[in-house]
Each structure stands twice: as C-alpha cells, then as structure tokens.
Amino acid sequence: MLTRLVAPVAAALSGLLLYASFPPRPLWWLVLPGFALLARCLYGRRARAAFGLGFLAGLGFLLPLLSWTGEEVGALPWVALATAEALFVAVTCVGIALVTRLPLWPVWGAAVWVLGEAVRARVPFGGFPWGKIAFGQADSVFLPLAAVGGTPVLGFAVVLCGFGLYEAVRQFLTYRSTRDSTREVPRRGAAIAALTVVVPVTAALAALPLVDNSAQDGTATAAAIQGNVPQLGLDFNAQRRAVLDNHARRTEQLAEDVKAGKEPQPDFVLWPENSSDLDPYRNDDAREVIDRAVRAIGAPTVIGSVLTPDTGKLRNTLIEWDPERGPVATYDKRHVQPFGEYIPMRSFVRLFSSDVDRVRRDFGPGDKVGVFDLAGTKVGLATCYEAAFDWAVRDTVTGGAQLISVPSNNATFGRSEMTYQQLAMSRVRAVEHSRAVVVPVTSGVSAVIQPDGKVVQQTQLFTPDALVAEVPLRSSLTPATRLGTLPEGALVAIAVAGLGWAVFRGVRVRRSASA
C-alpha cells in the first residue's frame, strides 16, 4: 500500500513545488525540481495512470495558486475552477507520458506542456491562462527568453530544463545500476540529458542583449494614483462615490505636492480600473469631481469607469480625460472576465452559488485596441485580466504604444496572493515587449516597472498613494512582438508531431508483438 502511494504523493508534491515557485515567493527555481519530479511520475506510464497522476499534480499546483478566487464567494467556485483547470493538466500529462517513449523525449514533453497551456488559455469562455509557467519566472534567469518568443518560449525553456534534469538523473542511475565491470557511460543519453539542461540556460544568457532599458524616444514622467477603497470584498463598490472621491482627493494632493516642489509635474496621470464606477457621462456629480481633479494636476488623465447605457451591456471603460476638453477618447475592455463581469449559463450556475446574482447586468467586450496619445506619449492599455492574454498586450505595442499601462482593481481579492501574481505578469510583459509598464491599482499593489522587468516603485496594499516616475519610452519591437503567435504555433506543431509519432510507434510495436 505504501509503495502504491509513492507516485500519487510525488505527483501532488510536484504540483506544490510549481505553486511555490510563483510570487510572492522569490523561489522561481523550485519550478525545476517540480518538473523533474513530475517527469519521474510520468515517465513510461500508461494513459490511465498518467491522467490520474497529472490530475493530482494539477490540483497540487492550482488549488493553492487560485485560492484567491474563493476569497469572497466561498470554497465551491474556487475548488470548481481549480478542478476544471487541473483536468487540462491531467490531459496534458497523458501526452507527456506518451512522448517519454521517444528519443529526445524532454523536447517533445516540454512542447506538449506548451500545447496544454495554449488550449487552457483559449477554452472555455475565452480561456484562463492564469498559472502559465512563464508568469512565475519574473525573477528567473530564463526571463530574457520572453523577448525571444513570449510566454510560450519562456515556458518551454523552463519545462525543458526541468525534464532535462530528470533525464540526467535517470541516465546517471541507469549507469550506476549496471554491475558489469566493463560498463561505459551511455554517451548519447548523457549528451541528450546535458543538452536539455544547458541549451535553455545558454539561450537565456544569449537573449540578454534583447533586454534594454534605454530611452529610444526620450522619457515621460508618469503618475499612478492608488486611491484605495472604503472596504474589502465584493461589495467594495457599493460606495462608488467614496472610491471616486478617494482617487480625486489623492490626485489633488499630488497636485499640491507638485506646486510645493515635492514631486515633478507628471506628463500624464493613470487612475486604476473602477476608479469611477459612477458613469461620468450620465452623472454630473461624478463628472465635476473628475474635472476638478484633472484640472488641478494639469495633465491628461486616464480614468477607469463603468459606462451604463440605457440598453445593452455595461462597458468596463478607460477614459482619456483632458484638463481643458474633458473626455476625449475611450477604450472598452476587450476580454471581459467570465463569472466576474458576465455570467455564462447563469441559470445553471445559480444552482451552485447565488453569488452570480451580484452581477445583475453583464458587461460586454469592446473591439478596438487601446492606445491613447497622452501629451505626445502613446500609452497602450490592457485592463486587469487582459494582462494574462498574450494578444491583448501585444496588440497595443504593434499599435504604436511606447509604454504599457495595466490599470487594475484587485480589491475584491483582499490581501491574497492574486495582486502579486498579476504584478509578475506585468513584469514578464515588460521584458516580452521591451516596454516600461505602469500598473495603477485601486487598492494595491500599484507599481512602475522598467523594460527589464525590475520594479522601481510600488505601493503597499490598501494604502492611498501616488507614484511619480520618469520612464523610458521605446518604439523598437522585440522578436517576440514581431513574431506574435508563430513561436507558440511552432511549439504546438512540434507537440502534435511528437504525439503522432508516439502513437504510430506504439501501434507498430503492438503489431510486431502480435505477429
């Protein structure tokens, strides 16, 4: 019985190691023994066993990683989401087990992992890429690879190195177990094991020149306002006017600091998502409060608002507010969050949780790329949840953005790890596209990130604050930005080819055995 428990326990432990490699812990390197242990569990396994072990690994990884999703709505939605995502991991692990029978199996296996992440980032309901291995690597030696091929290449390199570590250990143990006095080191196997570890690290070092903080188009002084919220949880926006007043007050305080010479005059100001849930187009009081704050600071300001048309769906909108002309441009969030901003299958989901009715009116998605011209600086916009999607950030850079802003609202998730996980995404995006990233958040953590992924300023949770920083503006495109989905497509093609080869090889072996 104890022997039978070894593999399941090891699989769950591998998932826990993957979880522990994610922020706020600076233990990114734990991902390598995590994948090495997962490879030990999957190597040579049949499909049924691989599925079960992969499911346990997925739960060990995603249950703690996504615990913030149950912060206000209880355990059921959290466990349901983690279980659904763990099923994707389980199916992926079946594919990994299948390709372990091939030569160079760590390469095929790492590609299969990328295939699993690609599917998970797209289905269902537009996908849920939270927990992509790349997002745990903001402090990693592998991070420069994000500029080469984005999150798929970064994730592939990390998984390949982890699988390569296991293969190196397996080759060594196989050599040690051979009792023949004439034994020789299995050179081919040892070379493959070494290369799958050395090549990803070498590639990351070779990619370092792509990481550049220089100001190609000069600099801009950006301000990020964190006004804070009156209370934590899902009902934080019940006091919508208080949230708006907090951000207006903190902006006016910054204006006073500028006049007193304590802070430099910002070229533009960034408020977070939901900083004005009162529609300023329909609410004169809200418009007046915003106007007064923006005139005080004397710089174009991006306001996060909720627009409430008479008919149709709500809009999670960012508004460019000019100190003289008022609102001059808008960006509607393109990827609205299922079960947060809209409820798919509402009547069915209500059977499991009445919290769905807190979303009384669904949000609808926008269809235009968000790039605002703020005092001559082109700022790309990816609202909160959108930062997890490769396309949503890349579109802004190919659309001309010299700087990226990720306005967010994490008040719903309290003091959980969610805000640090999301901040790590923005750090990876900074390196991926070689852009500074400014992250204004209602309740924290707000931050200013350099193009090399380093955080140069950040706030504390649930504390009113304002960050003012001079940031470099850049217009060159990294290989990752230029190539777009091509690296991911190539890795998916490799995975499919490997799976096809493994299936064909297995069929041929079975036919030979029966003959």
Side-chain angles (χ1 to χ4, degrees):
M1 180 64 71
L2 289 176
T3 302
R4 291 179 179 179
L5 287 175
V6 170
V9 170
L13 179 58
S14 72
L16 287 172
L17 288 172
L18 299 186
Y19 158 68
S21 71
F22 272 69
R25 292 160 295 280
L27 304 175
W28 63 265
W29 49 269
L30 285 177
V31 73
L32 300 178
F35 275 111
L37 186 57
L38 180 62
R40 171 65 183 86
C41 295
L42 299 177
Y43 188 84
R45 294 281 185 180
R46 294 180 180 273
R48 183 176 177 181
F51 182 87
L53 294 172
F55 183 64
L56 290 174
L59 288 178
F61 174 32
L62 295 166
L63 266 176
L65 187 78
L66 302 178
S67 60
W68 49 268
T69 60
E71 187 76 14
E72 289 295 325
V73 295
L76 183 59
W78 158 43
V79 173
L81 175 62
T83 300
E85 296 300 306
L87 288 173
F88 283 94
V89 176
V91 174
T92 300
C93 287
V94 172
I96 293 171
L98 188 62
V99 299
T100 58
R101 300 177 176 88
L102 300 178
L104 280 173
W105 74 265
V107 175
W108 304 110
V112 171
W113 183 272
V114 173
L115 169 61
E117 287 192 335
V119 173
R120 193 160 68 86
R122 290 169 172 80
V123 293
F125 311 119
F128 188 73
W130 216 279
K132 262 190 171 185
I133 290 304
F135 294 147
Q137 299 297 297
D139 292 304
S140 166
V141 298
F142 296 101
L143 181 60
L145 289 171
V148 176
T151 59
V153 168
L154 175 54
F156 173 79
V158 171
V159 180
L160 175 61
C161 195
F163 285 171
L165 282 175
Y166 167 69
E167 180 62 11
V169 172
R170 191 182 75 84
Q171 291 289 341
F172 175 74
L173 294 177
T174 300
Y175 166 68
R176 287 289 302 272
S177 65
T178 305
R179 297 184 178 182
D180 188 348
S181 60
T182 62
R183 67 190 180 190
E184 294 182 0
V185 177
R187 294 180 181 177
R188 182 170 177 238
I192 291 172
L195 286 173
T196 52
V197 175
V198 172
V199 169
V201 176
T202 304
L205 294 175
L208 276 172
L210 296 174
V211 181
D212 188 356
N213 283 342
S214 64
Q216 295 173 328
D217 304 324
T219 63
T221 301
I225 301 297
Q226 178 175 302
N228 204 12
V229 298
Q231 62 187 46
L232 282 66
L234 285 175
D235 293 322
F236 78 93
N237 58 358
Q239 301 181 51
R240 293 177 293 176
R241 178 57 187 268
V243 175
L244 170 58
D245 287 344
N246 285 352
H247 287 83
R249 188 179 304 114
R250 193 62 190 83
T251 303
E252 291 166 352
Q253 182 181 337
L254 175 60
E256 292 174 4
D257 291 341
V258 170
K259 290 178 181 178
K262 297 178 182 178
E263 294 284 2
Q265 170 64 42
D267 295 312
F268 53 86
V269 179
L270 303 169
W271 284 17
E273 177 190 31
N274 298 130
S275 47
S276 174
D277 275 350
L278 292 170
D279 184 345
Y281 293 103
R282 300 171 64 89
N283 189 301
D284 291 338
D285 287 347
R287 187 183 184 105
E288 183 180 343
V289 169
I290 296 170
D291 257 335
R292 185 170 63 246
V294 175
R295 288 198 201 101
I297 196 62
T301 302
V302 177
I303 309 296
S305 188
V306 173
L307 302 190
T308 56
D310 289 329
T311 60
K313 297 181 178 181
L314 302 175
R315 288 290 186 270
N316 187 336
T317 301
L318 299 176
I319 306 172
E320 178 185 349
W321 206 285
D322 185 84
E324 300 298 331
R325 297 177 292 161
V328 294
T330 60
Y331 166 67
D332 293 336
K333 186 176 182 180
R334 291 179 290 163
H335 199 304
V336 292
Q337 182 183 352
F339 305 103
E341 292 172 304
Y342 77 100
I343 305 297
M345 306 180 299
R346 184 182 288 267
S347 58
F348 174 75
V349 175
R350 190 182 290 113
L351 297 175
F352 302 94
S353 175
S354 60
D355 284 320
V356 298
D357 292 324
R358 295 195 184 197
V359 183
R360 297 183 179 89
R361 186 175 173 186
D362 288 343
F363 283 79
D367 57 6
K368 294 181 180 178
V369 178
V371 179
F372 285 169
D373 188 329
L374 302 178
T377 298
K378 292 185 177 180
V379 178
L381 306 166
T383 306
C384 195
Y385 184 59
E386 291 183 320
F389 295 87
D390 295 345
W391 59 267
V393 182
R394 177 179 177 269
D395 282 357
T396 69
V397 179
T398 57
Q402 301 164 296
L403 169 80
I404 299 170
S405 175
V406 184
S408 302
N409 172 27
N410 299 337
T412 301
F413 306 109
R415 300 182 182 274
S416 69
E417 295 181 357
M418 182 270 184
T419 192
Y420 301 101
Q421 294 171 11
Q422 188 177 57
L423 179 60
M425 293 179 191
S426 294
R427 295 179 62 192
V428 173
R429 299 302 184 198
V431 174
E432 180 180 6
H433 301 293
S434 194
R435 295 292 188 273
V437 180
V438 181
V439 185
V441 184
T442 50
S443 57
V445 172
S446 301
V448 178
I449 305 166
Q450 290 285 82
D452 65 356
K454 297 292 190 298
V455 177
V456 293
Q457 290 189 39
Q458 72 177 61
T459 64
Q460 299 296 316
L461 283 171
F462 296 99
T463 304
D465 209 341
L467 303 178
V468 182
E470 186 178 11
V471 292
L473 304 179
R474 296 179 56 80
S475 55
S476 64
L477 302 182
T478 64
T481 309
R482 293 178 185 277
L483 294 172
T485 60
L486 287 178
E488 183 181 55
L491 291 170
V492 167
I494 291 171
V496 172
L499 292 169
W501 183 14
V503 170
F504 174 76
R505 191 176 183 182
V507 170
R508 189 172 61 180
V509 168
R510 285 195 295 271
R511 285 179 179 174
S512 299
S514 62

